Amino acid sequence: GENVEQHPSTLSVQEGDSAVIKCTYSDSASNYFPWYKQELGKRPQLIIDIRSNVGEKKDQRIAVTLNKTAKHFSLHITETQPEDSAVYFCAASQSGGGADGLTFGKGTHLIIQP
Amino acid sequence: NAGVTQTPKFQVLKTGQSMTLQCAQDMNHNSMYWYRQDPGMGLRLIYYSASEGTTDKGEVPNGYNVSRLNKREFSLRLESAAPSQTSVYFCASSGYRGGDSPLHFGNGTRLTVT
């Protein structure tokens, strides 16, 4: 089955700086890569996703890049703000796969220092 | 529009006690899921239901049972709780059976087994 590794487990950056979280996956058949954000005490929520037919996707201050050859994808947050503090989870799946398809990474705790 | 509703929000059980976690969604979604979240372990799938009338085991099903009562409701039962089941439990739903269907999470149930 799929295995998703996520690094780092904790990331501390100064407010206004950029943050990058990296994930690798093992199954070359995976073609859908979402990112979920979980604020303290709240539920995970989808913030951005990318499919394997594109290499990069942006939404305001966040972007995701995908390298299919190397089987890794990354979340980039620019101009970080206090509200970006949260745990971020990457995941991978096959769009044609079954309902159990999403495999999550173990999460990155992003801390924005004032 | 409530989305995914879980009850209870908090629960304390003694070892050996039983309980049922309730989940309901009002988005007319076909697929529903139960995850557990433990520190440093990410989100692990316990059971899922691809559609009304079907249930399947996920990554960590031991010690749990589920019931897909109807299209809206998916319950998780602990027959004999153990301290290892202390965790935060999330119910989720998605619109269609497929690895690229976004997950909508409930607010979670924090369970402590003493």
Side-chain angles (χ1 to χ4, degrees):
Chain A
E2 176 66 274
N3 182 49
V4 176
E5 298 284 341
Q6 183 172 348
H7 299 280
S9 56
T10 303
L11 177 60
S12 181
V13 301
Q14 291 293 125
E15 182 178 349
D17 288 349
S18 296
V20 180
I21 302 170
K22 299 180 179 181
C23 291
T24 60
Y25 61 99
S26 62
D27 189 347
S28 57
S30 289
N31 56 8
Y32 175 67
F33 307 94
W35 287 87
Y36 285 80
K37 175 184 180 182
Q38 184 180 28
E39 296 177 4
L40 185 63
K42 302 285 185 65
R43 60 187 174 181
Q45 292 188 290
L46 178 69
I47 56 171
I48 195 168
D49 57 15
I50 191 169
R51 300 173 193 276
S52 60
N53 57 344
V54 297
E56 183 175 7
K57 183 177 179 180
K58 291 183 179 180
D59 183 3
Q60 299 182 3
R61 295 187 298 107
I62 62 173
V64 57
T65 59
L66 171 65
N67 183 325
K68 288 176 57 179
T69 303
K71 290 192 283 189
H72 67 70
F73 56 111
S74 300
L75 178 71
H76 304 254
I77 305 174
T78 59
E79 301 174 7
T80 53
Q81 299 171 6
E83 55 264 36
D84 295 329
S85 292
V87 177
Y88 293 81
F89 293 98
C90 63
S93 70
Q94 297 178 44
S95 62
D100 65 332
L102 270 183
T103 300
F104 285 91
K106 294 184 178 181
T108 296
H109 185 193
L110 177 62
I111 302 166
I112 308 301
Q113 301 281 5
Chain B
N1 189 341
V4 179
T5 303
Q6 288 183 238
T7 55
K9 292 183 179 180
F10 302 95
Q11 184 71 49
V12 178
L13 292 178
K14 295 185 186 300
T15 298
Q17 289 184 319
S18 63
M19 77 161 296
T20 300
L21 282 65
Q22 306 287 352
C23 175
Q25 52 90 10
D26 63 2
M27 295 174 285
N28 200 35
H29 282 174
N30 288 310
S31 301
M32 297 185 73
Y33 309 80
W34 278 104
Y35 288 89
R36 62 177 289 173
Q37 183 177 29
D38 303 291
M41 297 297 291
L43 292 155
R44 293 184 291 169
L45 184 63
I46 304 171
Y47 270 92
Y48 68 100
S49 171
S51 59
E52 186 178 357
T54 69
T55 61
D56 285 287
K57 295 178 180 179
E59 180 186 354
V60 288
N62 291 346
Y64 306 94
N65 284 300
V66 291
S67 295
R68 183 74 183 265
L69 304 171
N70 47 55
K71 190 171 185 179
R72 291 186 63 249
E73 299 173 286
F74 188 40
S75 62
L76 178 71
R77 182 160 179 84
L78 287 70
E79 291 290 352
S80 179
S84 61
Q85 294 178 304
T86 293
S87 187
V88 179
Y89 292 85
F90 286 98
C91 177
S93 69
S94 66
Y96 56 90
R97 179 189 180 127
D100 61 346
S101 180
L103 293 176
H104 298 260
F105 287 88
N107 287 326
T109 296
R110 185 173 295 274
L111 175 67
T112 302
V113 183
T114 61

